[in-house]
């Protein structure tokens, strides 16, 4: 007898899934049976992602910092699909600048998107999730190391890891697992755009990475899927899955 697809019947919300890692994750989960709610502040991109999911996608336009967007998506998932089983807090933003130049407002904007929104989405989702629910917070290698000039991003992604551990231990009794994924440098449009703008040098990054290359969006999506799938990672919670080609393991010159 053929095995049921890993995510058959699972209802999963992915924030920031209009493009990039979130969109690839949506396609991967739907290809394995999931129904996926795609939220993005870019409504056109959200629709493009959702329409490629063969009838198993719903698109929502909204900013993750807007409580109405959060409530609206979860209420719509409830009426369309009867609830929510999984959440991927993927939407992220950054602001580059030296610590002495950054204003409190610039810090706040990054913290609102990368930390406060995942808190709000997880709280709202967990109130509606049953036993077996799973959450993945998309952190970054920058949440594990210090990169000069990237203060709000590093701090918000480090806090997201701390939040993941707290959520994992507070919600274990509800049968809900919470994990983080920490991608290294992923070769996508965003990374290329930052390189083109002179934010970093991709050749230097490749040389600094033990595996000698950037990661792919698909490699991150597969990590997220593994963390969401109780058949694969049912005893894993509060974990940070590093998908970085060995970046954090490397400590030589
Ligand atoms: N690309 C990398 O190398 C890399 C590395 C480590 C971690 N990450 C993290 O992975 C996640 C996805 O990154 P990506 O490279 O796919 O980026 P991306 O820019 O390709 O995609 C992010 C998506 O989120 C949406 N978004 C951003 N802010 C939003 C908001 N406030 N409300 C709603 N939607 C919003 C954007 O419209 C976009 O569609 C982010 O959290 C990022 O920090 C990326």
């Amino acid at each position: 007898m053929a095995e049921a697809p890993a995510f058959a019947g699972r209802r999963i919300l992915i924030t920031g899934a209009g493009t990039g890692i979130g969109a690839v994750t949506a396609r991967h989960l739907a290809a394995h049976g999931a129904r996926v709610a795609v939220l993005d502040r870019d409504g056109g991109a959200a629709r493009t992602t959702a329409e490629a999911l063969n009838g198993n996608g719903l698109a929502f336009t909204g900013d993750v910092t807007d409580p109405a967007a959060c409530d609206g998506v979860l209420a719509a998932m409830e009426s369309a699909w009867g609830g929510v089983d999984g959440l991927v807090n993927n939407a992220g933003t950054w602001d580059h600048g030296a610590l002495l130049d950054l204003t409190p407002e610039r810090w706040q904007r990054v913290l609102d998107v990368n930390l406060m929104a995942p808190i709000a989405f997880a709280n709202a989702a967990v109130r509606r999730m049953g036993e077996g629910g799973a959450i993945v917070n998309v952190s970054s290698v920058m949440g594990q190391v210090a990169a000069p000039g990237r203060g709000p991003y590093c701090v918000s992604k480090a806090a997201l890891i701390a939040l993941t551990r707290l959520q994992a231990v507070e919600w274990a009794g509800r049968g809900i697992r919470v994990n983080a994924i920490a991608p290294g440098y992923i070769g996508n449009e965003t990374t290329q755009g930052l390189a083109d703008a002179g934010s970093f040098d991709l050749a230097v990054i490749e040389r600094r990475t033990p595996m000698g290359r950037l990661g792919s969006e698909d490699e991150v999506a597969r990590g997220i899927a593994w963390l969401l799938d109780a058949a694969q990672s049912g005893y894993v919670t509060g974990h940070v899955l590093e998908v970085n080609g060995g970046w954090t393991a490397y400590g030589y010159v």
Side-chain angles (χ1 to χ4, degrees):
M1 200 171 70
E3 260 187 58
F7 294 102
R10 306 289 284 176
R11 303 152 298 188
I12 298 170
L13 164 58
I14 309 178
T15 67
T19 61
I21 291 166
V24 173
T25 303
R27 290 197 289 275
H28 181 87
L29 296 177
H32 292 83
R35 285 172 284 182
V36 183
V38 175
L39 172 68
D40 206 289
R41 64 180 174 193
D42 178 343
R47 279 191 296 281
T48 303
T49 301
E51 281 164 11
L53 305 182
N54 297 322
N56 288 317
L58 287 177
F60 299 89
T61 309
D63 193 298
V64 288
T65 59
D66 176 6
C70 175
D71 292 342
V73 178
L74 288 164
M77 289 176 79
E78 182 94 44
S79 48
W81 297 332
V84 57
D85 306 296
L87 166 68
V88 183
N89 276 314
N90 167 74
T93 194
W94 62 88
D95 191 353
H96 295 164
L99 290 172
L100 294 178
D101 296 333
L102 288 161
T103 60
E105 293 72 26
R106 288 173 65 186
W107 273 93
Q108 195 62 53
R109 173 66 190 159
V110 177
L111 290 168
D112 283 347
V113 174
N114 291 3
L115 178 64
M116 299 314 292
I119 291 174
F121 273 75
N123 285 349
V126 161
R127 290 196 174 96
R128 295 169 184 262
M129 261 179 199
E131 192 158 329
I135 297 174
V136 176
N137 292 318
V138 182
S139 180
S140 167
V141 65
M142 292 300 147
Q144 302 177 294
V145 298
R150 285 152 173 70
Y153 189 73
C154 289
V155 168
S156 63
K157 293 295 189 180
L160 195 53
I161 290 173
L163 174 73
T164 300
R165 295 191 177 115
L166 267 167
Q167 291 170 328
V169 297
E170 285 209 13
W171 295 335
R174 290 173 173 258
I176 293 170
R177 297 180 306 110
V178 187
N179 291 289
I181 191 160
Y185 288 86
I186 302 306
N188 68 4
E189 265 184 47
T190 299
T191 304
Q192 189 60 52
L194 286 166
D196 292 346
S199 190
F200 44 63
D201 182 334
L202 292 180
V204 172
I205 286 170
E206 284 174 350
R207 278 204 303 280
R208 164 66 177 76
T209 305
M211 287 183 71
R213 64 171 177 86
L214 303 184
S216 72
E217 293 176 328
D218 189 57
E219 287 167 326
V220 180
R222 284 170 189 272
I224 294 170
W226 187 80
L227 290 170
L228 287 173
D229 182 0
Q232 304 290 334
S233 60
Y235 198 49
V236 178
T237 197
H239 180 66
V240 183
L241 181 61
E242 299 182 355
V243 182
N244 66 21
W247 183 280
T248 40
Y250 186 69
Y252 198 47
V253 289

